[in-house]
Amino acid sequence: MAKDKVSSETQTEASAIAKATQKPGQTKEQTKLIAKGIEKGIAEYKKRQKAKSREFNKKKKRLDQQLATDPMESQSSTQSDNIDKNSGGSTPLIIILIASILLNVAQALNFL
């Protein structure tokens, strides 16, 4: 599998987060490792958001096509799509969870 490129903006953001949570006595190498973990978390978040966006666009396109062909039948699917839109929102929690796991692993390995 090809290695995914991480934008410089993401690297800067991850580095800033790692430096903000840096403990006294922590080496630069340990901070870099934590920043890499944070980069991976951010990349995974962005990947999931793109997938959600693509899925949403597909549903919207199908809905638009249905509206063009049969407006009465598509009303019920519009209501179910609105329910789907409101049920999301757990991805920021996933990033927080990943970051806390990385910090716990770093502490377990005596990095921090």
Side-chain angles (χ1 to χ4, degrees):
M1 181 193 277
K3 189 173 183 179
D4 293 331
K5 296 277 182 175
V6 180
S7 71
S8 61
E9 179 182 322
T10 301
Q11 289 176 344
T12 305
E13 186 178 347
S15 178
I17 293 170
K19 287 179 183 177
T21 59
Q22 190 173 16
K23 303 287 182 187
Q26 181 176 326
T27 66
K28 286 184 178 182
E29 187 62 33
Q30 292 167 338
T31 304
K32 285 181 183 179
L33 288 172
I34 292 170
K36 285 286 184 190
I38 293 170
E39 281 178 30
K40 287 181 182 180
I42 292 171
E44 180 66 25
Y45 172 78
K46 287 181 177 181
K47 188 169 110 178
R48 288 183 184 182
Q49 287 300 106
K50 284 181 183 179
K52 280 184 179 181
S53 178
R54 281 192 304 270
E55 186 63 32
F56 175 76
N57 288 337
K58 286 179 185 177
K59 284 183 179 181
K60 185 176 183 286
K61 186 176 180 179
R62 276 188 242 129
L63 182 62
D64 289 343
Q65 288 173 349
Q66 280 182 347
L67 282 173
T69 59
D70 189 10
M72 290 300 288
E73 191 174 305
S74 62
Q75 276 184 339
S76 62
S77 66
T78 304
Q79 291 172 349
S80 65
D81 285 345
N82 287 338
I83 292 170
D84 289 343
K85 283 187 230 173
N86 294 331
S87 64
S90 63
T91 37
L93 294 176
I94 292 172
I95 290 179
I96 292 170
L97 179 64
I98 290 171
S100 76
I101 290 171
L102 288 172
L103 287 174
N104 287 335
V105 168
Q107 288 175 344
L109 297 173
N110 294 321
F111 280 153
L112 303 178

